Amino acid sequence: MNFIKKTWGWMFLLLTVGTFVFCYLGSPYWAVYSIKQALADKNQEVIDSYIDFDSLRTNLKNQLTNQVEMQFAEKQQKPINQVIQAFSYEAIDNLVDQYVTPEGIEDLFSGTNKLQTIKKEFKPEESTSAKQTNTQKKSSSNVTWSLNYGDNTNQFFAIIRPNQKENDKIEVSLVREGFFDWKVNNILLPFKFN
């Protein structure tokens, strides 16, 4: 009788620990599944609940600022370049604030990369109508998601590839908040300004 009680005790403990580990390690997959389901249902509230907009905007601005600084570091330091660089920083702030919205994130996850238009904003030779056409294209079919952990169990990546195009992939970074909650805090852009 004592043996049976100990066996059931150990089985219960193992089951509890196993369930906790399964939920802990499976929680980012559930978060991405919930985001995808909310996209299909057009449930903006659920999508927004998985996004840390302040961190996302800050990280995107830092990422784009680094790109601009690398571009200007390669060129000679002429006075006009310094003026253009200063305007570029202001343009980055305005563009990220304009595109990183609940609607913009929903479009991005659905396969429409509005953030790619940031690259085009820095190319004056492209006409406004071409920019609007590129922004309005929407193709949620053939969007694939690849999921994997980062360097630790508190970082997770979802790679979104619209229409199987490698150059258009977007790498979405999620970070753990608490034990089971996840938030999108960064989007790693696949392009450079060149």
Side-chain angles (χ1 to χ4, degrees):
M1 189 74 158
N2 222 3
F3 174 75
I4 294 173
K5 285 183 181 178
K6 285 183 181 180
T7 303
W8 279 107
W10 280 108
M11 286 177 60
F12 178 75
L13 180 62
L14 287 174
L15 182 63
T16 303
V17 170
T19 301
F20 177 82
V21 169
F22 176 79
C23 291
Y24 184 80
L25 296 177
S27 59
Y29 295 95
W30 178 256
V32 172
Y33 171 79
S34 297
I35 290 170
K36 290 167 71 174
Q37 193 63 41
L39 287 170
D41 297 340
K42 301 205 179 298
N43 188 337
Q44 191 68 50
E45 285 183 34
V46 172
I47 296 169
D48 293 352
S49 70
Y50 284 99
I51 310 292
D52 181 351
F53 283 101
D54 292 335
S55 293
L56 180 57
R57 286 186 186 104
T58 300
N59 288 330
L60 279 172
K61 287 176 185 180
N62 290 339
Q63 190 179 156
L64 294 169
T65 299
N66 289 340
Q67 290 292 334
V68 168
E69 288 174 353
M70 287 188 330
Q71 290 295 315
F72 282 103
E74 294 172 2
K75 300 179 184 200
Q76 293 179 344
Q77 290 297 323
K78 296 179 183 176
I80 189 68
N81 284 347
Q82 293 173 349
V83 172
I84 293 170
Q85 187 175 5
F87 281 114
S88 296
Y89 296 143
E90 187 173 330
I92 286 170
D93 285 349
N94 291 334
L95 288 169
V96 168
D97 290 341
Q98 178 184 349
Y99 288 111
V100 180
T101 62
E103 296 80 18
I105 296 300
E106 182 178 356
D107 286 341
L108 177 71
F109 288 168
S110 298
T112 302
N113 185 358
K114 282 190 171 184
L115 294 174
Q116 279 286 38
T117 58
I118 293 175
K119 178 181 180 181
K120 293 172 181 62
E121 294 284 342
F122 286 90
K123 293 194 174 188
E125 67 272 6
E126 185 174 349
S127 70
T128 306
S129 62
K131 279 188 247 182
Q132 290 172 347
T133 303
N134 287 336
T135 303
Q136 292 171 353
K137 286 182 185 175
K138 190 163 186 167
S139 170
S140 59
S141 61
N142 299 325
V143 175
T144 59
W145 294 60
S146 303
L147 310 175
N148 62 296
Y149 272 98
D151 294 336
N152 56 54
T153 59
N154 293 323
Q155 185 178 31
F156 194 77
F157 293 100
I159 299 172
I160 304 170
R161 287 186 181 84
N163 300 315
Q164 302 296 323
K165 293 180 181 175
E166 185 65 27
N167 293 340
D168 290 341
K169 75 175 182 178
I170 299 295
E171 193 166 349
V172 179
S173 171
L174 294 93
V175 292
R176 188 184 298 274
E177 288 193 353
F179 284 109
F180 304 116
D181 295 330
W182 290 84
K183 294 270 190 183
V184 172
N185 75 326
N186 199 4
I187 296 174
L188 305 175
L189 302 175
F191 57 82
K192 293 184 179 180
F193 301 122
N194 49 22

